[in-house]
Amino acid sequence: MVKKFTSQEISKLSQFRDRLSDLHLDEEKSDDYYLIRWLRARNLDLDKAEEMLRTSLKWRKENKADSILEDLKDEIPLRMKRMYPCASFGVDKEQNPVLFFPVGRSIYRIGIEEMGIEMMLKCNIYVMELIMKALR
């Protein structure tokens, strides 16, 4: 269930948007529900929320997170896909996504030895983006 916005959150959201106007956010990242998460994470402190969001966007750009699903789809080794399975099973009765990601079975040491740390990091970003895509 989506939590409604308080009048204070609506006011802060408007101010937050003004502060971020230089970023030219895409449709997904300019959505009220996306932006309110940053404000709530920092108890509606505009300075802290802005810093957190800008840091995240910088990291995403440096690590090509926004395009990684397309960029790496043919590059992820089959063995890696088998070692770190992930699946979406639709939604539950309340329309929440049902995901399966057996993190406890992951063997990172072997992945690092076989593919190197850089590829393992890319694979982790790839899996997290898959999960976020399913959640959206």
Side-chain angles (χ1 to χ4, degrees), residues 6 19 30 44 55 58 60 66 104 124 131:
T6 66
R19 287 174 167 230
S30 63
L44 303 182
T55 300
K58 180 181 176 201
R60 292 184 67 77
D66 291 328
N124 282 328
I131 290 169

Side-chain angles (χ1 to χ4, degrees), residues 65-127:
D66 291 328
S67 62
I68 202 161
L69 292 178
E70 186 61 32
D71 295 347
L72 283 186
K73 72 178 179 183
D74 298 326
E75 201 175 318
I76 303 284
L78 183 58
R79 177 157 164 70
M80 181 67 175
K81 290 177 183 176
R82 288 184 179 147
M83 284 173 59
Y84 306 98
C86 169
S88 174
F89 294 100
V91 294
D92 66 12
K93 289 186 249 180
E94 296 172 352
Q95 300 306 304
N96 298 305
V98 178
L99 304 170
F100 175 74
F101 183 57
V103 178
R105 292 183 48 211
S106 301
I107 308 167
Y108 287 97
R109 182 181 53 78
I110 293 171
I112 291 170
E113 288 172 1
E114 289 183 8
M115 295 179 292
I117 191 81
E118 289 299 316
M119 181 52 103
M120 280 297 296
L121 290 171
K122 285 181 182 180
C123 288
N124 282 328
I125 295 169
Y126 183 88
V127 168

Side-chain angles (χ1 to χ4, degrees), residues 88 95-99 128-136:
S88 174
Q95 300 306 304
N96 298 305
V98 178
L99 304 170
M128 293 303 125
E129 288 299 308
L130 276 177
I131 290 169
M132 290 306 297
K133 182 179 178 181
L135 290 173
R136 285 191 287 274

Side-chain angles (χ1 to χ4, degrees), residues 28-67:
E28 178 189 329
K29 289 182 178 65
S30 63
D31 180 75
D32 287 348
Y33 291 99
Y34 179 84
L35 293 175
I36 203 72
R37 290 179 9 206
W38 300 96
L39 287 166
R40 287 177 178 167
R42 293 296 178 243
N43 296 316
L44 303 182
D45 183 314
L46 289 167
D47 292 331
K48 290 180 180 179
E50 180 180 359
E51 179 184 357
M52 185 179 172
L53 175 58
R54 287 181 184 274
T55 300
S56 175
L57 292 173
K58 180 181 176 201
W59 180 91
R60 292 184 67 77
K61 184 176 182 179
E62 289 169 355
N63 290 281
K64 301 177 182 157
D66 291 328
S67 62

